[in-house]
């Protein structure tokens, strides 16, 4: 609204607040003098009752007049400002309606263009079929022949399988260092592990790898979604502060290629740590990072 005279300023709002306080003070004084307990007690009959002097009533009336007179200009200015605000609001609403109409017109035009393109594509395909290309696969292969290399069925299956596997893996965790017994309640162990980092997700857990008396097999944990995985991985470092699970590690479920890359990163991190013992090295976002030791 800029700096127009009819705008309600912060000062106007403060004066309105003061006016309200003055009105409440005057009403309170009237009720005290007249010994009224509530607003419902204020009536013409009770104001006219014997025992209240005309001087007292005149004084109260005069105080009310002075209060109204002192705030009349502010009230009028505020009224004008509110009227202007209403006018500007109506104008803004009209602008919004106009913009919505323009957007709908643009969407209709876009839809018309898309429909025309689809009809043109349909005509091209129909023409190709009329010339003897009787199947969709023939049309597709001829269309992309000069620009895209042909993928074998085996290659396509591999790509799809890897995509599905990556999606499934994003919901998994792998736990290392969790003690293993011949007869164990694995779900209870995992629940206890999650309790230490204040998480209670729904999960499925199983040991992976060949059983051995010398080592504890890792545990693969399946969660409902990747958000739970991300949140638990962020808290996993807190296990080092616990007494029961300080030697337990939680890691993402990596693919063979990711595991190989991670091993190389670990080797690089250890090498750099041995060369620079005054810095703390760690792996973040696929890179070896460092900071000064606190």
């Amino acid at each position: 609204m800029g700096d127009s005279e009819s705008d309600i300023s912060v000062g106007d709002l403060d004066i309105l607040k003061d006016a309200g306080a003055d009105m409440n003070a005057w009403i309170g004084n009237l009720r005290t003098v007249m010994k009224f307990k509530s607003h419902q007690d204020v009536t013409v009959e009770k104001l006219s009752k014997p025992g209240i002097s005309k001087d007292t009533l005149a004084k109260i009336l005069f105080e009310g007049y002075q209060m109204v007179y002192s705030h009349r200009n502010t009230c009028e200015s505020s009224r004008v400002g509110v009227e202007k605000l209403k006018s500007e609001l109506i104008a803004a609403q009209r602008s919004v309606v106009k913009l919505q109409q323009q957007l709908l017109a643009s969407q209709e035009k876009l839809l018309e263009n898309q429909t025309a393109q689809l009809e043109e594509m349909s005509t091209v395909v129909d023409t190709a079929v009329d010339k003897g290309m009787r199947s969709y696969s023939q049309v597709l292969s001829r269309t992309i022949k000069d620009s895209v290399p042909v993928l074998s069925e085996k290659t396509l299956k591999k790509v799809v399988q890897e995509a599905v596997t990556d999606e499934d893996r994003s919901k998994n965790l792998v736990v290392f260092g969790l003690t293993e017994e011949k007869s164990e309640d694995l779900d209870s162990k995992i629940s206890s592990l999650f309790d230490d980092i204040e998480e209670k997700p729904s999960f499925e857990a199983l040991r992976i790898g060949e059983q051995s008396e010398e080592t504890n097999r890792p545990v693969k944990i399946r969660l409902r979604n990747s958000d739970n995985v991300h949140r638990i991985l962020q808290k996993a470092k807190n296990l080092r502060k616990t007494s029961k699970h300080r030697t337990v590690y939680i890691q993402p479920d990596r693919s063979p290629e990711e595991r190989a890359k991670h091993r190389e990163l670990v080797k690089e991190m250890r090498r750099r740590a041995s060369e620079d013992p005054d810095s703390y090295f760690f792996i973040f976002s696929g890179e070896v990072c460092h900071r000064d030791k606190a």
Side-chain angles (χ1 to χ4, degrees):
M1 294 187 300
D3 298 324
S4 59
E5 292 183 0
S6 59
D7 289 354
I8 299 177
S9 67
V10 175
D12 290 333
L13 294 177
D14 289 338
I15 294 175
L16 285 174
K17 182 179 179 181
D18 293 340
D22 290 344
M23 292 178 186
N24 287 329
W26 182 80
I27 292 172
N29 183 41
L30 172 64
R31 289 170 55 180
T32 299
V33 172
M34 301 301 295
K35 297 181 181 180
F36 294 151
K37 294 182 179 180
S38 66
H39 170 70
Q40 287 74 17
D41 291 339
V42 182
T43 63
V44 175
E45 291 77 10
K46 290 185 178 180
L47 286 171
S48 303
K49 69 180 181 179
I52 302 300
S53 68
K54 291 184 178 180
D55 290 340
T56 299
L57 289 175
K59 182 179 179 182
I60 294 174
L61 180 61
F62 181 70
E63 289 175 351
Y65 169 79
Q66 285 184 315
M67 175 191 62
V68 172
Y69 185 84
S70 65
H71 293 303
R72 74 189 191 287
N73 291 333
T74 299
C75 292
E76 176 60 19
S77 176
S78 298
R79 183 193 66 78
V80 173
V82 170
E83 290 295 332
K84 187 173 186 296
L85 285 173
K86 288 170 60 178
S87 299
E88 292 178 348
L89 178 60
I90 292 173
Q93 290 173 335
R94 289 174 179 170
S95 297
V96 170
V97 171
K98 184 176 180 181
L99 289 173
Q100 289 176 335
Q101 291 173 341
Q102 293 174 349
L103 177 60
L104 289 173
S106 298
Q107 290 176 334
E108 290 177 358
K109 184 65 176 177
L110 178 61
L111 182 59
E112 290 176 0
N113 292 338
Q114 291 175 337
T115 302
Q117 290 175 354
L118 288 173
E119 291 176 351
E120 183 178 353
M121 291 175 62
S122 177
T123 302
V124 172
V125 173
D126 289 343
T127 301
V129 172
D130 291 339
K131 290 181 179 180
M133 301 173 69
R134 300 300 181 180
S135 68
Y136 172 78
S137 60
Q138 289 176 317
V139 177
L140 178 62
S141 62
R142 186 165 298 183
T143 303
I144 65 174
K145 179 179 179 180
D146 297 330
S147 58
V148 181
V150 178
L151 299 177
S152 65
E153 182 180 356
K154 182 178 180 180
T155 302
L156 287 172
K157 286 183 178 180
K158 182 179 179 181
V159 171
V160 173
Q161 184 177 8
E162 288 178 353
V164 173
T165 301
D166 288 342
E167 172 63 21
D168 290 342
R169 191 177 287 116
S170 69
K171 302 176 184 178
N172 295 345
L173 291 170
V174 181
V175 177
F176 297 90
L178 191 66
T179 57
E180 180 178 4
E181 292 89 19
K182 291 183 178 180
S183 178
E184 64 178 359
D185 186 348
L186 186 57
D187 285 354
S188 296
K189 287 186 175 183
I190 299 300
S191 294
S192 175
L193 176 70
F194 286 153
D195 284 343
D196 273 355
I197 55 175
E198 299 180 347
E199 289 289 334
K200 294 184 179 296
S202 299
F203 64 88
E204 297 176 3
L206 74 157
R207 296 277 183 179
I208 55 176
E210 295 183 3
Q211 191 170 7
S212 171
E213 295 181 357
E214 299 177 356
T215 60
N216 298 312
R217 289 181 296 167
V219 179
K220 178 178 284 191
I221 301 174
R222 176 76 170 177
L223 301 175
R224 288 187 175 180
N225 55 63
S226 56
D227 290 339
N228 289 339
V229 170
H230 181 69
R231 189 170 59 252
I232 291 172
L233 287 173
Q234 286 184 318
K235 294 183 176 181
K237 61 180 179 295
N238 296 330
L239 290 174
R240 290 180 300 209
K241 302 175 184 178
T242 66
S243 58
K244 186 176 180 181
H245 299 112
R246 61 188 308 175
T247 59
V248 176
Y249 299 91
I250 303 177
Q251 295 186 0
D253 183 14
R254 300 186 176 96
S255 66
E257 293 80 7
E258 290 172 336
R259 288 197 296 270
K261 182 179 179 180
H262 185 73
R263 282 194 295 269
E264 293 301 319
L265 288 172
V266 171
K267 289 181 182 178
E268 180 184 353
M269 181 183 67
R270 290 174 177 172
R271 176 184 60 77
R272 293 176 60 179
S274 64
E275 295 173 354
D276 185 6
D278 294 330
S279 296
Y280 171 73
F281 290 86
F282 57 94
I283 297 173
F284 179 75
S285 296
E287 296 182 358
V288 177
C289 307
H290 74 281
R291 60 177 172 79
D292 294 336
K293 288 185 178 179

